[in-house]
Amino acid sequence: DAGITQSPRHKVTETGTPVTLRCHQTENHRYMYWYRQDPGHGLRLIHYSYGVKDTDKGEVSDGYSVSRSKTEDFLLTLESATSSQTSVYFCAISDRRQGARETQYFGPGTRLLVL
Amino acid sequence: DQQVKQNSPSLSVQEGRISILNCDYTNSMFDYFLWYKKYPAEGPTFLISISSIKDKNEDGRFTVFLNKSAKHLSLHIVPSQPGDSAVYFCAASVQGAQKLVFGQGTRLTINP
């Protein structure tokens, strides 16, 4: 299994509060991703990173920001949590070596409930 | 605009029989396809992939078929086992994009 951890694994918060989720990898992979999983929608990309301090938006980035100051850590921040951000959040990593394609490996997930 | 679609939310199959999961896509630029398996309370795990230069890829009990003209791929599991009960996601990517687009998932239940 790829060395990916997510913290916290579960969180309950109130509307309007800031929330930060952490993804940590020990694989030294260049690419890191944040997804959310919701019933009927599958996995949707929020933001991704292609290197330290290099990030870009995914398809559902509104209300989220990210930061990557070290290769191993990718943080997802909800500046002011809303009930629509109640979801399960997954971090993934990949490493595009020569001849390889973009197979991603996922962390265990963080279940977030916004009341 | 759902570029990758799994039109069957659920599928029930008897143990020992073949399970066939389907996936359709609309973007003709997709040239690499993957299947992931997900158990409850765990992250998705990579199962098998196929490049658009092939029409079939096998790995043990799992075979993925790609029909480029129909923009359709399928995952065959033979024989199906109780441990195969999970949610299966198909995903697709465009060369150089380094991003995956996922389908909605199909919940597979294997009955004894």
Side-chain angles (χ1 to χ4, degrees):
Chain A
D1 288 346
I4 312 169
T5 56
Q6 293 185 230
S7 58
R9 294 293 313 279
H10 303 271
K11 186 167 183 68
V12 180
T13 191
E14 293 186 350
T15 298
T17 61
V19 176
T20 295
L21 309 182
R22 180 181 183 237
C23 177
H24 179 79
Q25 60 147 329
T26 58
E27 306 296 321
N28 200 36
H29 280 14
R30 178 182 174 189
Y31 295 87
M32 299 185 75
Y33 307 82
W34 277 108
Y35 292 89
R36 59 179 290 174
Q37 185 200 359
D38 304 288
H41 291 278
L43 293 156
R44 292 182 292 175
L45 182 64
I46 304 171
H47 282 279
Y48 67 103
S49 169
Y50 46 96
V52 173
K53 297 186 180 179
D54 292 323
T55 65
D56 206 349
K57 295 179 180 180
E59 68 176 299
V60 289
S61 59
D62 287 349
Y64 302 94
S65 62
V66 290
S67 65
R68 191 170 179 199
S69 58
K70 298 185 289 185
T71 298
E72 57 266 35
D73 289 325
F74 193 32
L75 304 181
L76 176 70
T77 297
L78 291 65
E79 300 290 348
S80 177
T82 67
S83 58
S84 64
Q85 293 175 312
T86 291
S87 187
V88 182
Y89 291 86
F90 289 101
C91 174
I93 64 174
S94 71
D95 194 5
R96 187 182 179 186
R97 287 156 290 176
Q98 187 174 5
R101 286 298 301 262
E102 39 279 288
T103 300
Q104 296 180 14
Y105 300 93
F106 285 81
T110 294
R111 188 173 294 273
L112 176 68
L113 175 60
V114 183
L115 300 175
Chain B
D1 179 26
Q2 190 80 26
Q3 297 186 72
V4 179
K5 294 182 181 180
Q6 294 175 256
N7 292 315
S8 298
S10 62
L11 177 67
S12 185
V13 174
Q14 194 170 4
E15 182 179 358
R17 307 294 288 266
I18 183 171
S19 295
I20 301 176
L21 297 101
N22 294 304
C23 180
D24 297 297
Y25 61 96
T26 58
N27 188 345
S28 59
M29 297 296 291
F30 287 144
D31 66 343
Y32 187 64
F33 304 88
L34 308 89
W35 284 94
Y36 283 82
K37 176 180 180 178
K38 186 185 178 305
Y39 291 122
E42 294 184 11
T45 55
F46 169 70
L47 197 54
I48 192 170
S49 62
I50 188 168
S51 167
S52 61
I53 62 174
K54 295 184 176 181
D55 54 18
K56 176 182 172 181
N57 189 27
E58 268 184 278
D59 185 2
R61 295 186 298 115
F62 302 91
T63 303
V64 56
F65 294 92
L66 175 62
N67 183 333
K68 291 184 288 294
S69 61
K71 295 190 179 65
H72 177 83
L73 69 155
S74 61
L75 175 68
H76 292 211
I77 307 174
V78 183
S80 299
Q81 299 174 353
D84 296 330
S85 295
V87 176
Y88 289 78
F89 293 99
C90 64
S93 73
V94 175
Q95 172 73 31
Q98 206 63 28
K99 293 188 290 184
L100 297 178
V101 179
F102 284 85
Q104 307 96 310
T106 296
R107 182 177 301 278
L108 175 65
T109 303
I110 305 302
N111 302 306

